[in-house]
Amino acid sequence: MPVASNEYFVPVVPSDASVIIVEDNPDNLFVLEILLREDLRVKYYNGRASGRQFFKLLEANPRLYPDLVLLDIQLPYEDGFTVFKNMLNVPQLKNTQVIAVTANVMPQDVAKARELGFNGLIGKPINRNRFPAQITRILNGESVWEPY
């Protein structure tokens, strides 16, 4: 199951990190990819537009153990909350931190993400000045709950 606690967590420096973005909006995906590549210089990143595509990526790459998944909540076919629930059954993700990256920042949305076991939430629009530090803190095992 994704890392809801730090039971299996091992800190990762961004340059060694494997990050998967599940985001259906091409502009938001582009921004996240730029920040990961240029500001954080992550080792590997991959973007997918839906939960279905994300699970197909994992299925096609059984040796892919992402350190972090940045998961949009408003996705086609099924929302990010449903995708997260399905992630809990994937052994390949047991050491993966999952962060909701969303414009859904109402208190009930944040509470739902916490209740389900997300490792944090970052609100959209992404703040380019804060994002690298947020991701670095997450990769160090800190929960980041910053909807604004």
Side-chain angles (χ1 to χ4, degrees), residues 53-120:
Q53 289 181 356
F54 169 70
F55 290 114
K56 284 182 182 180
L57 172 69
L58 292 178
E59 198 174 287
N61 298 281
R63 292 196 171 114
L64 176 59
Y65 297 93
D67 299 299
L68 175 62
V69 173
L70 301 175
L71 180 59
D72 185 22
I73 297 302
Q74 292 185 319
L75 294 170
Y77 312 113
E78 55 191 5
D79 66 25
F81 294 126
T82 303
V83 172
F84 181 79
K85 288 176 190 174
N86 292 331
M87 292 172 72
L88 297 174
N89 300 315
V90 180
Q92 195 172 345
L93 300 174
K94 78 173 189 180
N95 295 325
T96 300
Q97 294 200 86
V98 183
I99 304 297
V101 180
T102 182
N104 296 359
V105 295
M106 298 300 291
Q108 63 270 20
D109 299 314
V110 177
K112 185 172 183 178
R114 283 182 184 274
E115 288 170 16
L116 289 174
F118 277 79
N119 300 101

Side-chain angles (χ1 to χ4, degrees), residues 12-19 41-45 66-68 135 139:
V12 180
V13 295
S15 60
D16 291 334
S18 172
V19 180
R41 292 183 166 72
V42 299
K43 176 180 169 183
Y44 171 86
Y45 66 89
D67 299 299
L68 175 62
I135 297 302
L139 291 172

